[in-house]
């Protein structure tokens, strides 16, 4: 695909959407917090785009989320503690961004059973395995 522009809030009425795979496009802008309203979303894959900004704390409400792939974008800040609510999350890939901060044993994400975790080398995750 060769999509560009922002990820539109037009996805929100697709309340039964289970998978959004928008990787390797030219999406830009920030992640819309309203995507948290997609109650059945199990995969959010926006690897290899030009997305920026912080990770929405609201995504901690997507309880069906199993795969969250945001590699090779321009996200900043730290991993929100609200993501510790994502009990079904198995794959979290977030390297090649500008994210900071260690994930210590007290971070709520450490209560998850992640099968795969990838982040930049300067982010230490005390409870993750790759």
């Amino acid at each position: 695909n060769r999509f560009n522009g922002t990820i539109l809030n037009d996805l929100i009425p697709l309340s039964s959407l289970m998978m959004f795979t928008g990787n390797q496009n030219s999406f830009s802008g920030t992640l819309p917090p309203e995507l948290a309203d997609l109650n059945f979303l199990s995969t959010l894959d926006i690897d290899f785009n030009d997305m920026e900004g912080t990770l929405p704390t609201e995504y901690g409400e997507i309880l069906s989320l199993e795969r969250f792939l945001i590699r090779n974008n321009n996200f900043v800040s730290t991993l929100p503690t609200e993501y510790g609510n994502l009990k079904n999350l198995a794959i979290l890939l977030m390297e090649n961004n500008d994210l900071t901060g260690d994930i210590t044993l007290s971070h709520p994400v450490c209560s998850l059973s992640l099968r795969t975790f990838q982040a930049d080398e300067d982010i230490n995750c005390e409870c993750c395995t790759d």
Side-chain angles (χ1 to χ4, degrees), residues 12-128:
I12 306 311
L14 303 174
S15 59
S16 297
L17 186 69
M18 297 177 68
M19 181 182 298
F20 180 77
T21 304
N23 61 324
Q24 298 184 5
N25 284 287
S26 295
F27 286 120
S28 60
T30 60
L31 283 172
E34 294 83 4
L35 288 182
D37 295 336
L38 298 174
N39 295 325
F40 298 101
L41 191 66
S42 64
T43 299
L44 181 54
D45 180 356
I46 52 162
D47 284 346
F48 300 93
N49 279 285
D50 296 313
M51 303 293 297
E52 60 188 10
T54 59
L55 299 175
T57 58
E58 292 87 352
Y59 287 16
E61 300 169 16
I62 310 175
L63 302 181
S64 56
L65 197 62
E66 298 172 7
R67 290 173 294 284
F68 189 39
L69 295 81
I70 58 169
R71 296 175 295 184
N72 296 288
N73 282 284
N74 300 301
F75 294 112
V76 296
S77 191
T78 59
L79 187 64
T81 57
E82 289 82 358
Y83 289 17
N85 296 328
L86 303 175
K87 302 300 181 195
N88 291 314
L89 191 65
I91 300 171
L92 177 58
L93 307 179
M94 56 185 214
E95 70 266 30
N96 297 322
N97 282 287
D98 293 317
L99 298 169
T100 59
D102 291 337
I103 301 173
T104 63
L105 289 174
S106 62
H107 194 289
V109 169
C110 286
S111 68
L112 304 177
S113 299
L114 294 174
R115 283 194 330 254
T116 306
F117 172 82
Q118 293 176 353
D120 291 328
E121 290 180 10
D122 55 340
I123 295 179
N124 179 41
C125 182
E126 295 179 358
C127 58
C128 302

